[in-house]
């Protein structure tokens, strides 16, 4: 299992200097994987990122949330087409970087909607994701769709809804991406959704209820990690945390990051790595009970 960290723990800017900061921070804290947000796919330079990553032992994944004008769950064919182009561009960046996974809110815009998703919009989204997942498979990239809370999408807010969505995707290279921060808001508990997802779980974000230090909020990590062990989950487990100490113009505002939950990226990352590896190590011993 690869233990990873989101780039925004270290920097809000993903130019060459920003990628270097994130790579050095993730490596220093002991992580195996760095997740880079592609909030601005037009300006991101995957080849430059690869050169920096090649100096480290890290594997790399990429995530993003679509925007209103690239919303593939829209009924406006221009938005659907623009979203398809953005996702294809993200696959190009992953190929350039030697990346393994595309994840995040890639099936709708990442924003508060003021109406339910329409059947036509969901069908549009499933069609594009089917195409993108097949294209990704040809390039050796896994695709996972992040289930997020009701204020960030209207398409899939629970694992069960995500599985329903996936049943309309024709590619078998599309999986679920669960995030403990969102699960803590929307799910009934932290155990059943993981078991329901089972082999269709492809990617995991570990975030606290307030997105700060792990273990200082209300997320039931013990049950979540037990559930991962129960289904023999072997995919990426990526720590995600945001503070106004590190600001991304696009992402911080979309996610409502208005206050400082931490100031020291290195201390936060070191703590998260220990928290995740210690929790997993303890749960490993349950099979001896
Ligand atoms: Mn997440």
């Amino acid at each position: 299992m690869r233990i990873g960290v989101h780039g925004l723990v270290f920097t809000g800017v993903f130019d060459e200097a920003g990628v270097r900061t994130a790579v050095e921070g993730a490596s220093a804290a002991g992580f195996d994987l760095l997740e880079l947000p592609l909030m601005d796919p037009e300006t991101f330079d995957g080849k430059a990122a690869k050169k920096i990553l090649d100096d480290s032992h890290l594997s790399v994944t990429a995530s993003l949330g679509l925007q209103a004008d690239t919303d593939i769950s829209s009924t406006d064919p221009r938005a659907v087409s623009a979203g398809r182009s953005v996702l294809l561009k993200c696959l190009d960046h992953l190929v350039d970087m030697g990346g393994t996974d595309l994840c995040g809110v890639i099936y709708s815009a990442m924003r508060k909607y003021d109406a339910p998703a329409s059947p036509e919009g969901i069908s549009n989204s499933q069609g594009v994701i089917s195409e993108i997942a097949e294209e990704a498979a040809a390039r050796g990239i896994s695709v996972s769709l992040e289930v997020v809370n009701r204020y960030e999408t209207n398409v899939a807010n629970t694992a069960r809804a995500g599985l329903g969505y996936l049943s309309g995707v024709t590619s078998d290279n599309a999986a679920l991406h669960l995030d403990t921060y969102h699960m803590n808001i929307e799910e009934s508990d932290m155990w059943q959704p993981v078991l329901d997802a089972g082999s269709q779980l492809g990617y995991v974000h570990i975030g606290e209820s307030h997105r700060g230090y792990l273990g200082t909020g209300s997320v039931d990590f013990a049950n979540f990690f037990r559930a991962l062990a129960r289904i023999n989950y072997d995919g990426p487990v990526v720590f995600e945390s945001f503070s106004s100490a590190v600001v991304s113009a696009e992402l911080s505002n979309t996610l409502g990051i208005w206050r400082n939950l931490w100031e020291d990226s290195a201390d936060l990352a070191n703590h998260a790595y220990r928290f995740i590896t210690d929790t997993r190590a303890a749960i490993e011993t349950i099979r001896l009970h």
Side-chain angles (χ1 to χ4, degrees):
M1 180 188 285
R2 288 178 292 160
I3 311 292
V5 60
H6 193 284
L8 256 165
V9 166
F10 307 103
T11 178
V13 181
F14 294 90
D15 57 8
E16 282 187 52
V19 170
R20 189 173 299 282
T21 299
V23 166
E24 289 173 358
S27 299
F31 289 97
D32 315 307
L33 179 159
L34 176 65
E35 178 182 319
L36 290 173
L38 297 179
M39 297 312 290
D40 191 359
E42 289 303 322
T43 61
F44 185 77
D45 186 343
K47 292 191 173 78
K50 175 160 176 53
K51 286 205 185 97
I52 298 162
L53 284 156
D54 280 349
D55 292 336
S56 77
H57 67 286
L58 296 173
S59 66
V60 67
T61 62
S63 59
L64 76 154
L66 294 173
Q67 297 177 358
D69 59 357
T70 55
D71 183 355
I72 62 171
S73 73
S74 171
T75 53
D76 176 354
R78 287 168 302 182
V80 176
S81 169
R84 178 193 291 111
S85 299
V86 164
L87 294 174
L88 286 170
K89 178 153 281 200
C90 291
L91 292 181
D92 290 342
H93 290 322
L94 276 163
V95 169
D96 287 345
M97 293 194 288
T100 55
D101 295 73
L102 178 65
C103 61
V105 188
I106 55 177
Y107 53 86
S108 88
M110 185 168 72
R111 68 180 183 93
K112 166 79 169 68
Y113 284 83
D114 52 17
S118 69
E120 183 190 347
I122 289 175
S123 172
N124 288 343
S125 172
Q126 289 165 324
V128 174
I129 289 296
S130 298
E131 264 179 64
I132 295 293
E134 277 307 283
E135 183 64 35
R139 300 171 179 213
I141 296 164
S142 302
V143 171
S144 297
L145 313 176
E146 184 171 11
V147 175
V148 295
N149 73 73
R150 65 190 70 187
Y151 306 110
E152 296 182 30
T153 185
N154 60 359
V155 173
N157 302 134
T158 63
R160 196 167 293 158
L163 292 168
Y165 173 98
L166 277 179
S167 68
V169 171
T170 55
S171 170
D172 61 9
N173 187 40
L176 274 199
H177 167 183
L178 292 180
D179 178 322
T180 57
Y181 164 80
H182 298 289
M183 291 174 71
N184 186 59
I185 296 171
E186 300 289 0
E187 303 282 4
S188 305
D189 62 56
M190 302 300 282
W191 167 268
Q192 193 63 47
V194 174
L195 266 64
D196 287 347
S199 63
Q200 292 192 84
L201 183 60
Y203 205 92
V204 165
H205 273 168
I206 300 298
E208 191 45 282
S209 53
H210 43 49
R211 294 193 181 271
Y213 270 70
L214 299 180
T216 65
S218 60
V219 170
D220 180 1
F221 287 113
N223 263 322
F224 182 74
F225 279 103
R226 285 176 204 214
L228 291 185
R230 173 62 75 90
I231 67 165
N232 295 313
Y233 176 76
D234 197 31
V237 171
V238 177
F239 172 58
E240 190 173 48
S241 180
F242 305 106
S243 169
S244 51
V246 174
V247 176
S248 155
E250 303 89 13
L251 207 50
S252 296
N253 295 346
T254 303
L255 300 179
I257 310 304
W258 313 133
R259 61 193 162 106
N260 268 12
L261 288 159
W262 45 263
E263 295 190 334
D264 183 339
S265 293
D267 187 66
L268 172 84
N270 287 334
H271 173 269
Y273 183 77
R274 288 195 305 269
F275 184 96
I276 292 170
T277 51
D278 284 356
T279 304
R280 290 192 60 241
I283 284 167
E284 270 295 297
T285 68
I286 290 175
R287 65 192 167 80
L288 304 174
H289 294 189

PDB file of all heavy atoms in Angstrom, residues 193-225:
ATOM      1  N   PRO A 193     -19.645   1.735   4.363  1.00  0.00           N
ATOM      2  CA  PRO A 193     -19.375   2.203   2.992  1.00  0.00           C
ATOM      3  C   PRO A 193     -18.142   1.550   2.375  1.00  0.00           C
ATOM      4  O   PRO A 193     -18.111   1.287   1.171  1.00  0.00           O
ATOM      5  CB  PRO A 193     -19.167   3.714   3.167  1.00  0.00           C
ATOM      6  CG  PRO A 193     -19.894   4.046   4.427  1.00  0.00           C
ATOM      7  CD  PRO A 193     -19.728   2.858   5.313  1.00  0.00           C
ATOM      8  N   VAL A 194     -17.132   1.291   3.206  1.00  0.00           N
ATOM      9  CA  VAL A 194     -15.908   0.655   2.703  1.00  0.00           C
ATOM     10  C   VAL A 194     -16.214  -0.779   2.282  1.00  0.00           C
ATOM     11  O   VAL A 194     -15.782  -1.248   1.221  1.00  0.00           O
ATOM     12  CB  VAL A 194     -14.796   0.701   3.773  1.00  0.00           C
ATOM     13  CG1 VAL A 194     -13.572  -0.084   3.313  1.00  0.00           C
ATOM     14  CG2 VAL A 194     -14.437   2.144   4.101  1.00  0.00           C
ATOM     15  N   LEU A 195     -16.996  -1.483   3.123  1.00  0.00           N
ATOM     16  CA  LEU A 195     -17.355  -2.863   2.762  1.00  0.00           C
ATOM     17  C   LEU A 195     -18.246  -2.892   1.526  1.00  0.00           C
ATOM     18  O   LEU A 195     -18.116  -3.775   0.672  1.00  0.00           O
ATOM     19  CB  LEU A 195     -18.031  -3.568   3.945  1.00  0.00           C
ATOM     20  CG  LEU A 195     -17.036  -4.356   4.795  1.00  0.00           C
ATOM     21  CD1 LEU A 195     -16.010  -3.451   5.461  1.00  0.00           C
ATOM     22  CD2 LEU A 195     -17.729  -5.221   5.803  1.00  0.00           C
ATOM     23  N   ASP A 196     -19.150  -1.917   1.430  1.00  0.00           N
ATOM     24  CA  ASP A 196     -20.015  -1.848   0.240  1.00  0.00           C
ATOM     25  C   ASP A 196     -19.181  -1.619  -1.024  1.00  0.00           C
ATOM     26  O   ASP A 196     -19.433  -2.212  -2.061  1.00  0.00           O
ATOM     27  CB  ASP A 196     -21.036  -0.699   0.381  1.00  0.00           C
ATOM     28  CG  ASP A 196     -22.134  -1.004   1.386  1.00  0.00           C
ATOM     29  OD1 ASP A 196     -22.256  -2.172   1.795  1.00  0.00           O
ATOM     30  OD2 ASP A 196     -22.860  -0.064   1.763  1.00  0.00           O
ATOM     31  N   ALA A 197     -18.185  -0.749  -0.912  1.00  0.00           N
ATOM     32  CA  ALA A 197     -17.345  -0.445  -2.087  1.00  0.00           C
ATOM     33  C   ALA A 197     -16.489  -1.651  -2.454  1.00  0.00           C
ATOM     34  O   ALA A 197     -16.342  -1.979  -3.637  1.00  0.00           O
ATOM     35  CB  ALA A 197     -16.469   0.775  -1.806  1.00  0.00           C
ATOM     36  N   GLY A 198     -15.921  -2.311  -1.464  1.00  0.00           N
ATOM     37  CA  GLY A 198     -15.150  -3.533  -1.695  1.00  0.00           C
ATOM     38  C   GLY A 198     -14.096  -3.358  -2.768  1.00  0.00           C
ATOM     39  O   GLY A 198     -13.305  -2.410  -2.739  1.00  0.00           O
ATOM     40  N   SER A 199     -14.101  -4.267  -3.739  1.00  0.00           N
ATOM     41  CA  SER A 199     -13.075  -4.241  -4.782  1.00  0.00           C
ATOM     42  C   SER A 199     -13.223  -3.036  -5.713  1.00  0.00           C
ATOM     43  O   SER A 199     -12.345  -2.764  -6.527  1.00  0.00           O
ATOM     44  CB  SER A 199     -13.120  -5.530  -5.597  1.00  0.00           C
ATOM     45  OG  SER A 199     -14.375  -5.607  -6.255  1.00  0.00           O
ATOM     46  N   GLN A 200     -14.326  -2.296  -5.594  1.00  0.00           N
ATOM     47  CA  GLN A 200     -14.489  -1.088  -6.416  1.00  0.00           C
ATOM     48  C   GLN A 200     -13.902   0.152  -5.757  1.00  0.00           C
ATOM     49  O   GLN A 200     -14.011   1.253  -6.295  1.00  0.00           O
ATOM     50  CB  GLN A 200     -15.973  -0.854  -6.726  1.00  0.00           C
ATOM     51  CG  GLN A 200     -16.561  -1.918  -7.653  1.00  0.00           C
ATOM     52  CD  GLN A 200     -17.917  -1.496  -8.175  1.00  0.00           C
ATOM     53  OE1 GLN A 200     -18.027  -0.764  -9.147  1.00  0.00           O
ATOM     54  NE2 GLN A 200     -18.957  -1.962  -7.509  1.00  0.00           N
ATOM     55  N   LEU A 201     -13.277  -0.027  -4.584  1.00  0.00           N
ATOM     56  CA  LEU A 201     -12.591   1.102  -3.950  1.00  0.00           C
ATOM     57  C   LEU A 201     -11.200   1.227  -4.563  1.00  0.00           C
ATOM     58  O   LEU A 201     -10.398   0.297  -4.508  1.00  0.00           O
ATOM     59  CB  LEU A 201     -12.491   0.884  -2.432  1.00  0.00           C
ATOM     60  CG  LEU A 201     -11.862   2.042  -1.642  1.00  0.00           C
ATOM     61  CD1 LEU A 201     -12.658   3.327  -1.806  1.00  0.00           C
ATOM     62  CD2 LEU A 201     -11.757   1.687  -0.153  1.00  0.00           C
ATOM     63  N   GLY A 202     -10.920   2.394  -5.169  1.00  0.00           N
ATOM     64  CA  GLY A 202      -9.653   2.553  -5.889  1.00  0.00           C
ATOM     65  C   GLY A 202      -8.714   3.570  -5.288  1.00  0.00           C
ATOM     66  O   GLY A 202      -7.524   3.590  -5.627  1.00  0.00           O
ATOM     67  N   TYR A 203      -9.219   4.437  -4.396  1.00  0.00           N
ATOM     68  CA  TYR A 203      -8.384   5.535  -3.905  1.00  0.00           C
ATOM     69  C   TYR A 203      -8.990   6.025  -2.598  1.00  0.00           C
ATOM     70  O   TYR A 203     -10.219   6.018  -2.440  1.00  0.00           O
ATOM     71  CB  TYR A 203      -8.384   6.674  -4.928  1.00  0.00           C
ATOM     72  CG  TYR A 203      -7.175   7.586  -4.888  1.00  0.00           C
ATOM     73  CD1 TYR A 203      -6.062   7.325  -5.685  1.00  0.00           C
ATOM     74  CD2 TYR A 203      -7.148   8.709  -4.061  1.00  0.00           C
ATOM     75  CE1 TYR A 203      -4.954   8.164  -5.665  1.00  0.00           C
ATOM     76  CE2 TYR A 203      -6.039   9.546  -4.032  1.00  0.00           C
ATOM     77  CZ  TYR A 203      -4.949   9.279  -4.840  1.00  0.00           C
ATOM     78  OH  TYR A 203      -3.851  10.104  -4.826  1.00  0.00           O
ATOM     79  N   VAL A 204      -8.134   6.468  -1.667  1.00  0.00           N
ATOM     80  CA  VAL A 204      -8.617   6.908  -0.355  1.00  0.00           C
ATOM     81  C   VAL A 204      -7.930   8.220   0.038  1.00  0.00           C
ATOM     82  O   VAL A 204      -6.708   8.352  -0.093  1.00  0.00           O
ATOM     83  CB  VAL A 204      -8.340   5.820   0.714  1.00  0.00           C
ATOM     84  CG1 VAL A 204      -8.482   6.384   2.117  1.00  0.00           C
ATOM     85  CG2 VAL A 204      -9.273   4.628   0.525  1.00  0.00           C
ATOM     86  N   HIS A 205      -8.723   9.163   0.511  1.00  0.00           N
ATOM     87  CA  HIS A 205      -8.194  10.365   1.166  1.00  0.00           C
ATOM     88  C   HIS A 205      -8.434  10.250   2.663  1.00  0.00           C
ATOM     89  O   HIS A 205      -9.541   9.908   3.093  1.00  0.00           O
ATOM     90  CB  HIS A 205      -8.913  11.624   0.673  1.00  0.00           C
ATOM     91  CG  HIS A 205      -8.320  12.217  -0.560  1.00  0.00           C
ATOM     92  ND1 HIS A 205      -8.952  13.195  -1.294  1.00  0.00           N
ATOM     93  CD2 HIS A 205      -7.123  12.001  -1.165  1.00  0.00           C
ATOM     94  CE1 HIS A 205      -8.172  13.544  -2.320  1.00  0.00           C
ATOM     95  NE2 HIS A 205      -7.069  12.823  -2.270  1.00  0.00           N
ATOM     96  N   ILE A 206      -7.412  10.585   3.436  1.00  0.00           N
ATOM     97  CA  ILE A 206      -7.521  10.614   4.888  1.00  0.00           C
ATOM     98  C   ILE A 206      -7.538  12.072   5.323  1.00  0.00           C
ATOM     99  O   ILE A 206      -6.531  12.778   5.203  1.00  0.00           O
ATOM    100  CB  ILE A 206      -6.312   9.885   5.530  1.00  0.00           C
ATOM    101  CG1 ILE A 206      -6.265   8.425   5.085  1.00  0.00           C
ATOM    102  CG2 ILE A 206      -6.361  10.002   7.044  1.00  0.00           C
ATOM    103  CD1 ILE A 206      -7.465   7.606   5.503  1.00  0.00           C
ATOM    104  N   GLY A 207      -8.701  12.528   5.797  1.00  0.00           N
ATOM    105  CA  GLY A 207      -8.816  13.908   6.263  1.00  0.00           C
ATOM    106  C   GLY A 207      -9.606  13.941   7.558  1.00  0.00           C
ATOM    107  O   GLY A 207     -10.521  13.144   7.759  1.00  0.00           O
ATOM    108  N   GLU A 208      -9.263  14.848   8.444  1.00  0.00           N
ATOM    109  CA  GLU A 208      -9.972  15.002   9.725  1.00  0.00           C
ATOM    110  C   GLU A 208     -11.250  15.817   9.494  1.00  0.00           C
ATOM    111  O   GLU A 208     -11.436  16.431   8.428  1.00  0.00           O
ATOM    112  CB  GLU A 208      -8.992  15.642  10.723  1.00  0.00           C
ATOM    113  CG  GLU A 208      -9.403  15.673  12.165  1.00  0.00           C
ATOM    114  CD  GLU A 208     -10.006  14.392  12.729  1.00  0.00           C
ATOM    115  OE1 GLU A 208     -11.201  14.145  12.454  1.00  0.00           O
ATOM    116  OE2 GLU A 208      -9.335  13.682  13.485  1.00  0.00           O
ATOM    117  N   SER A 209     -12.144  15.852  10.476  1.00  0.00           N
ATOM    118  CA  SER A 209     -13.459  16.495  10.302  1.00  0.00           C
ATOM    119  C   SER A 209     -13.349  17.991  10.020  1.00  0.00           C
ATOM    120  O   SER A 209     -14.223  18.576   9.393  1.00  0.00           O
ATOM    121  CB  SER A 209     -14.319  16.262  11.543  1.00  0.00           C
ATOM    122  OG  SER A 209     -13.629  16.652  12.713  1.00  0.00           O
ATOM    123  N   HIS A 210     -12.262  18.610  10.491  1.00  0.00           N
ATOM    124  CA  HIS A 210     -12.044  20.037  10.232  1.00  0.00           C
ATOM    125  C   HIS A 210     -10.882  20.242   9.257  1.00  0.00           C
ATOM    126  O   HIS A 210     -10.437  21.342   9.033  1.00  0.00           O
ATOM    127  CB  HIS A 210     -11.749  20.768  11.537  1.00  0.00           C
ATOM    128  CG  HIS A 210     -10.804  20.015  12.436  1.00  0.00           C
ATOM    129  ND1 HIS A 210      -9.609  19.488  11.972  1.00  0.00           N
ATOM    130  CD2 HIS A 210     -10.910  19.630  13.736  1.00  0.00           C
ATOM    131  CE1 HIS A 210      -9.009  18.857  12.970  1.00  0.00           C
ATOM    132  NE2 HIS A 210      -9.773  18.916  14.040  1.00  0.00           N
ATOM    133  N   ARG A 211     -10.352  19.147   8.723  1.00  0.00           N
ATOM    134  CA  ARG A 211      -9.247  19.107   7.760  1.00  0.00           C
ATOM    135  C   ARG A 211      -7.903  19.478   8.372  1.00  0.00           C
ATOM    136  O   ARG A 211      -6.955  19.794   7.659  1.00  0.00           O
ATOM    137  CB  ARG A 211      -9.532  20.000   6.537  1.00  0.00           C
ATOM    138  CG  ARG A 211     -10.706  19.512   5.661  1.00  0.00           C
ATOM    139  CD  ARG A 211     -10.675  20.274   4.355  1.00  0.00           C
ATOM    140  NE  ARG A 211     -11.722  19.981   3.400  1.00  0.00           N
ATOM    141  CZ  ARG A 211     -11.654  19.027   2.466  1.00  0.00           C
ATOM    142  NH1 ARG A 211     -10.639  18.206   2.408  1.00  0.00           N
ATOM    143  NH2 ARG A 211     -12.633  18.890   1.591  1.00  0.00           N
ATOM    144  N   GLY A 212      -7.798  19.427   9.700  1.00  0.00           N
ATOM    145  CA  GLY A 212      -6.536  19.724  10.373  1.00  0.00           C
ATOM    146  C   GLY A 212      -5.811  18.454  10.805  1.00  0.00           C
ATOM    147  O   GLY A 212      -5.875  17.423  10.121  1.00  0.00           O
ATOM    148  N   TYR A 213      -5.109  18.525  11.967  1.00  0.00           N
ATOM    149  CA  TYR A 213      -4.315  17.384  12.460  1.00  0.00           C
ATOM    150  C   TYR A 213      -5.192  16.149  12.662  1.00  0.00           C
ATOM    151  O   TYR A 213      -6.268  16.235  13.280  1.00  0.00           O
ATOM    152  CB  TYR A 213      -3.640  17.746  13.793  1.00  0.00           C
ATOM    153  CG  TYR A 213      -2.273  18.371  13.637  1.00  0.00           C
ATOM    154  CD1 TYR A 213      -2.129  19.658  13.123  1.00  0.00           C
ATOM    155  CD2 TYR A 213      -1.115  17.677  13.989  1.00  0.00           C
ATOM    156  CE1 TYR A 213      -0.875  20.227  12.964  1.00  0.00           C
ATOM    157  CE2 TYR A 213       0.144  18.243  13.838  1.00  0.00           C
ATOM    158  CZ  TYR A 213       0.258  19.523  13.320  1.00  0.00           C
ATOM    159  OH  TYR A 213       1.500  20.082  13.160  1.00  0.00           O
ATOM    160  N   LEU A 214      -4.717  15.009  12.177  1.00  0.00           N
ATOM    161  CA  LEU A 214      -5.443  13.749  12.362  1.00  0.00           C
ATOM    162  C   LEU A 214      -5.518  13.434  13.851  1.00  0.00           C
ATOM    163  O   LEU A 214      -4.537  13.584  14.574  1.00  0.00           O
ATOM    164  CB  LEU A 214      -4.741  12.612  11.621  1.00  0.00           C
ATOM    165  CG  LEU A 214      -4.628  12.776  10.105  1.00  0.00           C
ATOM    166  CD1 LEU A 214      -3.906  11.578   9.485  1.00  0.00           C
ATOM    167  CD2 LEU A 214      -5.998  12.973   9.459  1.00  0.00           C
ATOM    168  N   GLY A 215      -6.694  12.992  14.279  1.00  0.00           N
ATOM    169  CA  GLY A 215      -6.862  12.615  15.683  1.00  0.00           C
ATOM    170  C   GLY A 215      -7.368  13.751  16.558  1.00  0.00           C
ATOM    171  O   GLY A 215      -7.609  13.545  17.747  1.00  0.00           O
ATOM    172  N   THR A 216      -7.551  14.937  15.989  1.00  0.00           N
ATOM    173  CA  THR A 216      -8.034  16.066  16.797  1.00  0.00           C
ATOM    174  C   THR A 216      -9.482  16.437  16.473  1.00  0.00           C
ATOM    175  O   THR A 216      -9.989  17.442  16.975  1.00  0.00           O
ATOM    176  CB  THR A 216      -7.164  17.323  16.591  1.00  0.00           C
ATOM    177  OG1 THR A 216      -7.298  17.757  15.233  1.00  0.00           O
ATOM    178  CG2 THR A 216      -5.699  17.050  16.890  1.00  0.00           C
ATOM    179  N   GLY A 217     -10.136  15.634  15.625  1.00  0.00           N
ATOM    180  CA  GLY A 217     -11.523  15.931  15.254  1.00  0.00           C
ATOM    181  C   GLY A 217     -12.431  14.757  15.572  1.00  0.00           C
ATOM    182  O   GLY A 217     -12.144  13.958  16.463  1.00  0.00           O
ATOM    183  N   SER A 218     -13.516  14.625  14.814  1.00  0.00           N
ATOM    184  CA  SER A 218     -14.535  13.626  15.148  1.00  0.00           C
ATOM    185  C   SER A 218     -14.565  12.432  14.195  1.00  0.00           C
ATOM    186  O   SER A 218     -15.461  11.595  14.274  1.00  0.00           O
ATOM    187  CB  SER A 218     -15.913  14.302  15.181  1.00  0.00           C
ATOM    188  OG  SER A 218     -16.204  14.875  13.921  1.00  0.00           O
ATOM    189  N   VAL A 219     -13.584  12.305  13.282  1.00  0.00           N
ATOM    190  CA  VAL A 219     -13.591  11.157  12.362  1.00  0.00           C
ATOM    191  C   VAL A 219     -13.186   9.884  13.104  1.00  0.00           C
ATOM    192  O   VAL A 219     -12.213   9.874  13.858  1.00  0.00           O
ATOM    193  CB  VAL A 219     -12.635  11.403  11.169  1.00  0.00           C
ATOM    194  CG1 VAL A 219     -12.442  10.127  10.357  1.00  0.00           C
ATOM    195  CG2 VAL A 219     -13.183  12.511  10.275  1.00  0.00           C
ATOM    196  N   ASP A 220     -13.942   8.813  12.873  1.00  0.00           N
ATOM    197  CA  ASP A 220     -13.685   7.511  13.503  1.00  0.00           C
ATOM    198  C   ASP A 220     -12.673   6.738  12.635  1.00  0.00           C
ATOM    199  O   ASP A 220     -13.033   5.855  11.871  1.00  0.00           O
ATOM    200  CB  ASP A 220     -15.019   6.765  13.618  1.00  0.00           C
ATOM    201  CG  ASP A 220     -14.867   5.397  14.267  1.00  0.00           C
ATOM    202  OD1 ASP A 220     -13.737   5.019  14.648  1.00  0.00           O
ATOM    203  OD2 ASP A 220     -15.897   4.703  14.392  1.00  0.00           O
ATOM    204  N   PHE A 221     -11.397   7.115  12.773  1.00  0.00           N
ATOM    205  CA  PHE A 221     -10.368   6.483  11.942  1.00  0.00           C
ATOM    206  C   PHE A 221     -10.184   5.008  12.275  1.00  0.00           C
ATOM    207  O   PHE A 221      -9.853   4.208  11.406  1.00  0.00           O
ATOM    208  CB  PHE A 221      -9.026   7.218  12.091  1.00  0.00           C
ATOM    209  CG  PHE A 221      -9.008   8.555  11.408  1.00  0.00           C
ATOM    210  CD1 PHE A 221      -8.933   9.724  12.147  1.00  0.00           C
ATOM    211  CD2 PHE A 221      -9.089   8.650  10.030  1.00  0.00           C
ATOM    212  CE1 PHE A 221      -8.916  10.958  11.517  1.00  0.00           C
ATOM    213  CE2 PHE A 221      -9.081   9.888   9.387  1.00  0.00           C
ATOM    214  CZ  PHE A 221      -8.994  11.036  10.140  1.00  0.00           C
ATOM    215  N   ALA A 222     -10.377   4.644  13.558  1.00  0.00           N
ATOM    216  CA  ALA A 222     -10.160   3.246  13.937  1.00  0.00           C
ATOM    217  C   ALA A 222     -11.046   2.326  13.105  1.00  0.00           C
ATOM    218  O   ALA A 222     -10.577   1.335  12.537  1.00  0.00           O
ATOM    219  CB  ALA A 222     -10.432   3.068  15.434  1.00  0.00           C
ATOM    220  N   ASN A 223     -12.341   2.672  13.005  1.00  0.00           N
ATOM    221  CA  ASN A 223     -13.246   1.815  12.234  1.00  0.00           C
ATOM    222  C   ASN A 223     -12.966   1.899  10.745  1.00  0.00           C
ATOM    223  O   ASN A 223     -13.101   0.910  10.024  1.00  0.00           O
ATOM    224  CB  ASN A 223     -14.702   2.182  12.525  1.00  0.00           C
ATOM    225  CG  ASN A 223     -15.282   1.274  13.577  1.00  0.00           C
ATOM    226  OD1 ASN A 223     -14.997   0.075  13.599  1.00  0.00           O
ATOM    227  ND2 ASN A 223     -16.077   1.841  14.474  1.00  0.00           N
ATOM    228  N   PHE A 224     -12.566   3.065  10.271  1.00  0.00           N
ATOM    229  CA  PHE A 224     -12.282   3.204   8.843  1.00  0.00           C
ATOM    230  C   PHE A 224     -11.091   2.328   8.443  1.00  0.00           C
ATOM    231  O   PHE A 224     -11.162   1.577   7.458  1.00  0.00           O
ATOM    232  CB  PHE A 224     -11.998   4.665   8.493  1.00  0.00           C
ATOM    233  CG  PHE A 224     -11.741   4.876   7.027  1.00  0.00           C
ATOM    234  CD1 PHE A 224     -12.775   4.830   6.105  1.00  0.00           C
ATOM    235  CD2 PHE A 224     -10.455   5.089   6.556  1.00  0.00           C
ATOM    236  CE1 PHE A 224     -12.540   4.997   4.744  1.00  0.00           C
ATOM    237  CE2 PHE A 224     -10.200   5.256   5.198  1.00  0.00           C
ATOM    238  CZ  PHE A 224     -11.251   5.211   4.294  1.00  0.00           C
ATOM    239  N   PHE A 225     -10.005   2.390   9.203  1.00  0.00           N
ATOM    240  CA  PHE A 225      -8.827   1.588   8.851  1.00  0.00           C
ATOM    241  C   PHE A 225      -9.093   0.090   9.047  1.00  0.00           C
ATOM    242  O   PHE A 225      -8.552  -0.736   8.311  1.00  0.00           O
ATOM    243  CB  PHE A 225      -7.603   2.053   9.646  1.00  0.00           C
ATOM    244  CG  PHE A 225      -6.936   3.274   9.047  1.00  0.00           C
ATOM    245  CD1 PHE A 225      -7.121   4.532   9.601  1.00  0.00           C
ATOM    246  CD2 PHE A 225      -6.144   3.167   7.912  1.00  0.00           C
ATOM    247  CE1 PHE A 225      -6.518   5.653   9.044  1.00  0.00           C
ATOM    248  CE2 PHE A 225      -5.537   4.286   7.346  1.00  0.00           C
ATOM    249  CZ  PHE A 225      -5.729   5.527   7.916  1.00  0.00           C
TER     250      PHE A 225
END
